[in-house]
Amino acid sequence: MTIRVWNYTAEYEAERADVLDAVDSVFRSGQLVLGPSVQSFEEEFAAYHGLPHCVGVDNGTNAIKLGLQALGIGPGDEVITVSNTAAPTVVAIDALGATPVFVDVREEDYLIDVGQVEAAVTGRTKCLLPVHLYGQCADMAPLREIADRRGLALFEDCAQAHGARHHGRLAGSMGDAAAFSFYPTKVLGAYGDGGAVVTSSAQTDQRLRRLRFYGMAERYYVVETPGHNSRLDEVQAEILRRKLRRLDGYVAARRAVAARYAEGLGDTELVLPRVNPGNEHAHYVYVVRHPRRDEIIERLKAYGIELNISYPWPVHTMTGFARLGHGQGALPVTERLAGQIFSLPMYPSLSLDLQDKVIDSLRRVLETV
């Protein structure tokens, strides 16, 4: 049996009856687009975060894009973010005609280095976009202070941080708005694509609802501002509604896996994830570091373990963003990490036996590299 970074099949078997009932209930409802399941999920997901508004959209990338657009971000504006992230964070900024401006991350936690943000602000800066990477929240208080003092929007990328907390507050509840992805691998994952934006602003909520539906305030009426076709699917919404009730359990199970890894690998040469004071990590992925990363990954294949790298290519080094003018050396910490980080298997249904195999196999490989 090959052990991979993520596998949903055991979870599906445990929840199969509920998933199939969710699908059947939607098919029997007679409403397949923007029906009661989307509305109910939006209400429940907003309530989970202690916020009044949630707008479901078709994927996490469009959640960022439409969320930024609803906050007034557009062509010529600058958005400060990081390069150590999944490419969709930056793709969404670029799709609006805005310019991503990168700051480096901190070596100890891979999160945005808040100390570099102020110097990156220009007259064109309109938004700060921290990424709550790998399941841990960025340091939000100083970002909020900078945003308020400089008149900037603060938009959270929570694609990897469902259920994570920062000084008691849930990821997504600390900015002007926040984007979530429900891609199947996520802490709260659908059985296909999905996304959402949460906000405390009624105005932002109304803009989002128009933007996801061609720019119309009501169905098949007048386009007020040209928008998109970016609706959350009714079937995925109903599945997500039911999985939302289990979200805290998913997070607890991930933390238990992380604790066993920490116990089993804490005395090795691996650099294990750091959980910052005041943070409650959701452990979307369990990212470790080693200077001989590539050799370790290759040798583990002999033990039936196939690992992943999140992420091997910083966004600023990708060909598609070469026009931004960031060459090698522009973000030294991000670039150094990209050559050393890799992810261990992490999902709630990962059995104790499989966890032990990962730990034991990795220890054996580390003895020989």
Side-chain angles (χ1 to χ4, degrees):
M1 175 184 178
T2 300
I3 304 174
R4 296 185 172 86
V5 169
W6 177 75
N7 189 318
Y8 74 92
T9 54
E11 178 182 293
Y12 175 67
E13 288 303 319
E15 300 178 0
R16 181 173 181 272
D18 197 30
V19 171
L20 295 182
D21 183 67
V23 175
D24 186 63
S25 70
V26 171
F27 287 174
R28 289 177 180 274
S29 72
Q31 294 181 269
L32 299 179
V33 178
L34 292 184
S37 291
V38 168
Q39 180 178 344
S40 295
F41 174 71
E42 290 174 339
E43 292 171 353
E44 292 161 17
F45 196 66
Y48 178 84
H49 290 89
L51 295 171
H53 306 292
C54 169
V55 179
V57 297
D58 53 345
N59 57 65
T61 307
N62 280 338
I64 298 173
K65 176 185 174 183
L66 300 187
L68 290 173
Q69 191 173 0
L71 291 174
I73 310 304
D77 294 335
E78 292 180 350
V79 178
I80 295 175
T81 190
V82 294
S83 180
N84 181 36
T85 183
T89 304
V90 182
V91 168
I93 297 169
D94 184 72
L96 293 172
T99 301
V101 175
F102 299 116
V103 297
D104 216 338
V105 296
R106 299 187 300 199
E107 188 129 16
E108 63 269 23
D109 59 15
Y110 321 142
L111 299 170
I112 187 169
D113 186 343
V114 178
Q116 297 187 25
V117 170
E118 189 91 43
V121 176
T122 73
R124 294 172 58 194
T125 305
K126 293 294 181 64
C127 181
L128 309 181
L129 200 168
V131 179
H132 299 319
L133 195 69
Y134 304 150
Q136 178 163 219
C137 293
D139 194 2
M140 292 298 291
L143 289 171
R144 180 78 273 175
E145 190 278 329
I146 294 171
D148 289 346
R149 177 164 44 82
R150 303 297 291 263
L152 308 175
L154 180 58
F155 188 84
E156 300 174 69
D157 181 344
C158 302
Q160 303 184 9
H162 312 73
R165 291 180 182 271
H166 181 62
H167 296 290
R169 298 186 65 179
L170 279 164
S173 68
M174 296 171 281
D176 298 305
F180 288 84
S181 168
F182 304 122
Y183 187 74
T185 62
K186 303 302 184 184
V187 179
L188 179 63
Y191 281 77
D193 275 315
V197 181
V198 297
T199 181
S200 59
S201 167
Q203 182 182 53
T204 301
D205 173 74
Q206 289 305 309
R207 288 174 177 169
L208 280 163
R209 293 186 184 281
R210 289 193 296 271
L211 287 169
R212 76 165 176 191
F213 196 77
Y214 312 112
M216 298 178 182
E218 299 181 56
R219 295 188 185 189
Y220 310 119
Y221 283 85
V222 177
V223 172
E224 299 179 4
T225 301
H228 312 268
N229 178 6
S230 300
R231 302 170 296 229
L232 177 61
D233 182 77
E234 189 76 358
V235 171
Q236 300 300 341
E238 184 59 33
I239 293 172
L240 288 166
R241 279 191 70 207
R242 299 174 186 223
K243 294 189 73 173
L244 178 59
R245 302 162 192 162
R246 299 187 281 269
L247 175 55
D248 289 342
Y250 296 151
V251 173
R254 288 173 178 272
R255 288 177 181 152
V257 175
R260 292 195 86 235
Y261 282 154
E263 180 180 3
L265 298 169
D267 62 343
T268 69
E269 296 177 352
L270 289 175
V271 178
L272 303 183
R274 163 179 158 167
V275 180
N276 292 329
N279 274 354
E280 297 176 40
H281 207 307
H283 292 290
Y284 166 58
V285 284
Y286 192 87
V287 174
V288 299
R289 288 174 58 193
H290 194 282
R292 301 184 71 175
R293 183 265 315 278
D294 294 342
E295 183 180 352
I296 292 170
I297 290 177
E298 186 61 32
R299 290 195 183 190
L300 281 170
K301 292 178 182 177
Y303 294 88
I305 300 172
E306 295 188 2
L307 301 185
N308 188 41
I309 303 171
S310 298
Y311 300 92
W313 301 286
V315 178
H316 74 282
T317 68
M318 295 179 180
T319 304
F321 292 103
R323 56 190 161 75
L324 296 177
H326 299 286
Q328 288 288 339
L331 301 170
V333 177
T334 294
E335 293 165 26
R336 182 164 57 254
L337 292 174
Q340 299 179 357
I341 54 178
F342 61 106
S343 304
L344 304 189
M346 172 58 75
Y347 47 94
S349 58
L350 186 68
S351 69
L352 294 178
D353 287 345
L354 294 183
Q355 293 172 42
D356 287 339
K357 182 176 179 180
V358 172
I359 292 169
D360 293 343
S361 301
L362 191 47
R363 291 184 70 90
R364 291 176 187 172
V365 168
L366 287 169
E367 290 172 358
T368 62
V369 297

